[in-house]
Amino acid sequence: MGPHPAVAAIRLAVRRVLHDVLTEHTRCAEHTRRTPHPELAEAGAGRQRAALPERPDTPLVLVACSGGADSMALASALAFEARKLDVRAGGITVDHGLQDGSDTRAAEVVDRLTDMHLDPVESVAVRVGQEGGPEAAARDARYAALDAAAERYGAAAVLLGHTRDDQAETVLLGLARGSGIRSLSGMAAASGPAGRYRRPFLQLDRQTARKACLVQSLPVWDDPHNIDPAYTRSRLRHEGLPALEKALGKGVVEALARTAQLSRDDADALDTWAAEADRTVRDDAGRLECAKLYALPPAVRRRVLRRAAMEAGSPAGSLFARHIEEVDRLITSWRGQRAINLPGRVEARRQGGRLVIRQS
């Protein structure tokens, strides 16, 4: 008799990601073998080649585990599948220090991951700042810790337990901010440096992960912040989405997740178009020409402007749609406006038919 359907579903999702990681690892190893080492190339063909250090034969995949149902289900599936594949599996839990006893909770998660025979396993304590609000600050601290752990252990990938429900919530939050199609695209299946972060559960609902924990007798921790109405995502989860399902019927979560994928495909295509257009709207000195920018479709032009602002030093996380709209008016509604101030002490001004974006 096979595993419970919920357990089979989470294992299949993780297995697919691990196969992708292995394929990429093998391709990278083959490329490394074919590419001469710079020091050997400089030595010349006449000198005997010294032995080079080999890449590890088995890639390491870490799971980011909070102790909640989603990440515990993910950890159990990784532990099971890694034993059948040529993959090493480890785990990281991040202690945000935002609740009494958080260090105890982190120690318990370490014990559970160790019991699953994951290695290495580590708890990382972080200090959460204030910038961007509590949710954004905690997220920034968490990803910084995960990035550092991945670099420290040389991990090929870090698995995250975001589900289809999380994706639906992300799409609605983006819609509420009015941030455009990229925000509606939600979370990518792979993101971060070199696609480090992988989200195997984006096609699975939250209940599947919780059921998988239940049938495997895996203890889970329910974060009180997830039901605290002080947090926007919590209100959306417990009030907003249920209200939408009551008004529109079941299937809202699936529809929003599908919207995320369609939006991502469209956003990727527009980004590619904008990258190509960027080369055609500059003069010989590399300055943006307003007449050529004006001729672009608005969605492409605004992407070119955003790229230019970021290249000048404006932080992506602080550069909002309203900023780009103001810069766009220098192209489409020129009335002699003064310079537009952008985040990162960057300014955009129109001079002699050129758009100049630079540090102020």
Side-chain angles (χ1 to χ4, degrees):
M1 183 176 179
H4 186 279
V7 176
I10 65 169
R11 289 177 178 176
L12 176 60
V14 169
R15 189 183 315 144
R16 287 170 172 165
V17 169
L18 294 184
H19 278 299
D20 290 343
V21 171
L22 279 169
T23 299
E24 294 161 12
H25 181 80
T26 301
R27 187 182 300 123
C28 182
E30 291 175 350
H31 175 75
T32 301
R33 283 196 295 270
R34 290 196 300 267
T35 304
H37 192 276
E39 294 180 2
L40 294 180
E42 292 176 4
R47 296 180 59 182
Q48 184 177 5
R49 295 193 172 187
L52 294 176
E54 295 290 333
R55 287 174 55 89
D57 291 332
T58 55
L60 171 65
V61 175
L62 299 174
V63 57
C65 186
S66 67
D70 301 340
S71 59
M72 284 299 294
L74 183 59
S76 71
L78 173 62
F80 181 85
E81 294 296 332
R83 290 195 293 268
K84 303 192 299 180
L85 298 170
D86 196 17
V87 173
R88 293 178 294 139
I92 301 293
T93 188
V94 178
D95 176 12
H96 298 85
L98 297 176
Q99 301 164 2
D100 292 338
S102 63
D103 55 341
T104 301
R105 187 276 311 166
E108 291 173 350
V109 173
V110 166
D111 289 342
R112 292 169 190 170
L113 297 180
T114 302
D115 289 343
M116 293 179 184
H117 304 292
L118 299 184
D119 183 37
V121 172
E122 182 182 3
S123 171
V124 181
V126 299
R127 173 171 292 184
V128 177
Q130 301 295 326
E131 187 174 354
E135 293 170 282
R139 182 175 61 248
D140 290 345
R142 180 167 59 254
Y143 276 102
L146 293 175
D147 278 334
E151 294 291 340
R152 187 162 58 252
Y153 290 113
V158 178
L159 305 189
L160 305 176
H162 297 121
T163 65
R164 187 170 61 192
D165 301 78
D166 296 308
Q167 185 74 297
E169 293 162 7
T170 302
V171 172
L172 283 177
L173 289 170
L175 183 62
R177 287 192 298 267
S179 303
I181 193 171
R182 175 57 70 186
S183 200
L184 295 184
S185 65
M187 297 174 286
S191 64
R196 167 180 293 159
Y197 294 108
R198 309 296 175 101
R199 299 177 174 87
F201 289 176
L202 285 184
Q203 302 302 317
L204 301 178
D205 61 32
R206 191 172 288 140
Q207 286 304 313
T208 297
R210 185 166 288 275
K211 185 67 174 179
C213 290
L214 179 63
V215 299
Q216 295 179 100
S217 299
L218 294 175
V220 299
W221 173 70
D222 291 316
D223 187 346
H225 285 170
N226 290 336
I227 57 173
D228 187 342
Y231 296 95
T232 304
R233 187 177 285 268
S234 175
R235 294 195 302 274
L236 179 60
R237 179 174 302 177
H238 298 287
E239 300 174 23
L241 270 173
L244 280 176
E245 290 196 332
K246 183 177 180 179
L248 303 176
K250 295 292 184 181
V252 170
V253 169
E254 292 87 341
L256 288 169
R258 187 164 58 251
T259 295
Q261 184 57 58
L262 295 173
S263 297
R264 180 168 296 280
D265 292 343
D266 290 349
D268 288 346
L270 286 168
D271 285 347
T272 300
W273 187 353
E276 295 171 352
D278 185 87
R279 296 189 290 269
T280 70
V281 296
R282 296 181 181 271
D283 61 17
D284 292 340
R287 296 172 299 180
L288 292 166
E289 298 188 61
C290 295
K292 292 180 179 179
L293 284 167
Y294 184 86
L296 292 175
V300 178
R301 181 175 61 246
R302 288 171 185 157
R303 279 169 166 75
V304 173
L305 298 179
R306 180 177 174 82
R307 285 166 54 94
M310 291 169 57
E311 288 171 359
S314 196
S318 303
L319 193 61
F320 300 136
R322 65 177 183 272
H323 296 127
I324 302 304
E325 289 169 2
E326 289 299 318
V327 177
D328 196 42
R329 289 191 182 97
L330 297 177
I331 308 298
T332 61
S333 302
W334 173 240
R335 299 290 186 274
Q337 299 99 310
R338 288 185 291 183
I340 305 298
N341 293 319
L342 301 174
R345 299 180 62 188
V346 172
E347 69 170 24
R349 68 169 64 244
R350 181 165 174 155
Q351 293 179 337
R354 303 292 190 270
L355 185 68
V356 180
I357 303 178
R358 63 190 176 194
Q359 289 276 345
S360 60

